Amino acid sequence: MRRLTIDDLDSCIHLAKDRGWPPEAHKWRLLFDIGEPYGIDAPDGDGLAACNVLTLYGDAHAVISMVLTASRYARRGLGRALMRHVLDRAGERTVFLHATEQGRPLYEELGFRTTGRVVKHTGVFAGEPSGLTRPATVADLDAILALDAEVFGMDRSAALRRMFSFGERVRVAPGGSGQCRGFGQCWRNDDTIVVGPVVADDESTARALIGDLALDPGGEVRMDFDLAHGSMIRWAGEHGMGEPWEVAFMVRGGDLPGDRSRQFLPFTQALG
């Protein structure tokens, strides 16, 4: 069991493909940059037997993602061992993650509880420009970070500061006095454009940001909605988004801070 480095990126991608996941090299690079990837080398010498990524949000919160075990080493306790390792590393932090039905029993054994459900939608978005948002610039970053800290309740600045290099587009809904009423980005994940994060003061602002980001991406877009945002899900469906796939949102420790009603789309399920 060891801390992985960027030299292990190809092994992580190979492991993902082994389990039927897309390669997602762009996302993996971001996680290597801001997170702590861990892995277990395969005893047969062929890459990794298991891996996961821990991303710390300050001293009080963390997220675990990319939990994978090679199919030939399944059901040997490697995933559980790595989970215990990163939970020890997280210490007293409140930890959250997104779980498939296959992974949920393990996480429940480790003290996680389901607090919500998140549904992935993909499709070709159909709509018109809102006229309410504009491209963001680095000059907007302070306002973006301030709004995110208020709404998310924890420090995501390491990820958000990389939006302008990681994402394809970043947009804001301007407010008065240099503030913003919302922000969002879209980024390319293999052949799909993912919209997220989207944080906004209200649903109409979120719809404007999502619509403007999802227009004309050159292919399918993906949006991951919390089931609590039922009216947003119906709106997205009316604009071409479909093929839902549901996962559990799970938390270990205390309750998460912030205002989830204004968290419309996650950065990615790997980062919350």
Side-chain angles (χ1 to χ4, degrees):
M1 192 178 303
R2 63 182 176 86
R3 175 79 174 263
L4 303 180
T5 72
I6 195 64
D7 291 337
D8 297 296
L9 175 62
D10 287 345
S11 294
C12 291
I13 292 172
H14 178 74
L15 182 54
K17 290 179 177 179
D18 172 67
R19 298 315 302 250
W21 287 25
E24 302 185 302
H26 190 44
K27 181 166 73 174
W28 277 106
R29 288 189 184 93
L30 176 66
L31 292 170
F32 269 89
D33 187 23
I34 67 173
E36 299 180 7
Y38 293 92
I40 297 174
D41 291 307
D44 61 9
D46 184 14
L48 295 171
C51 72
N52 63 21
V53 180
L54 174 71
T55 304
L56 303 178
Y57 287 149
D59 295 328
H61 304 94
V63 58
I64 296 172
S65 60
M66 314 307 272
V67 180
L68 288 161
T69 300
S71 55
R72 66 191 185 281
Y73 292 112
R75 302 187 182 281
R76 299 192 189 184
L78 300 184
R80 179 180 285 102
L82 266 180
M83 283 294 297
R84 292 190 183 280
H85 179 74
V86 295
L87 288 172
D88 287 345
R89 170 74 180 101
E92 298 301 314
R93 292 175 176 85
T94 297
V95 183
F96 61 97
L97 52 77
H98 292 84
T100 64
E101 284 304 300
Q102 292 86 350
R104 185 169 54 83
L106 168 61
Y107 304 138
E108 289 176 341
E109 289 178 20
L110 295 171
F112 287 85
R113 66 191 189 280
T114 298
T115 63
R117 309 289 296 184
V118 176
V119 182
K120 178 186 81 171
H121 293 263
T122 58
V124 177
F125 188 85
E128 300 292 334
S130 72
L132 301 175
T133 76
R134 62 166 173 80
T137 70
V138 176
D140 296 305
L141 188 56
D142 287 346
I144 288 172
L145 294 178
L147 178 62
D148 191 74
E150 174 190 344
V151 172
F152 207 72
M154 59 187 83
D155 183 6
R156 294 200 297 179
S157 60
L160 296 178
R161 289 181 186 279
R162 289 162 173 79
M163 287 195 301
F164 295 98
S165 57
F166 177 77
E168 293 212 341
R169 285 185 281 178
V170 183
R171 298 189 72 89
V172 293
S177 302
Q179 303 300 305
C180 71
R181 293 180 292 111
F183 71 90
Q185 79 159 351
C186 64
W187 55 281
R188 183 165 294 279
N189 193 32
D190 299 328
D191 296 329
T192 302
I193 290 290
V194 181
V195 182
V198 173
V199 170
D201 285 343
D202 51 60
E203 190 168 300
S204 62
T205 303
R207 291 185 182 188
L209 285 163
I210 292 170
D212 290 346
L213 288 165
L215 287 174
D216 304 319
E220 283 200 335
V221 297
R222 170 178 168 175
M223 305 174 188
D224 296 347
F225 287 102
D226 191 306
L227 280 180
H229 289 298
S231 59
M232 290 292 295
I233 293 172
R234 291 190 293 274
W235 169 80
E238 293 166 357
H239 289 77
M241 304 304 295
E243 300 183 25
W245 179 66
E246 187 174 320
V247 297
F249 185 80
M250 305 187 76
V251 180
R252 182 180 189 265
D255 295 329
L256 292 179
D259 181 358
R260 289 190 64 80
S261 70
R262 292 190 284 164
Q263 300 171 33
F264 289 92
L265 293 177
F267 196 116
T268 106
Q269 288 184 5
L271 291 172

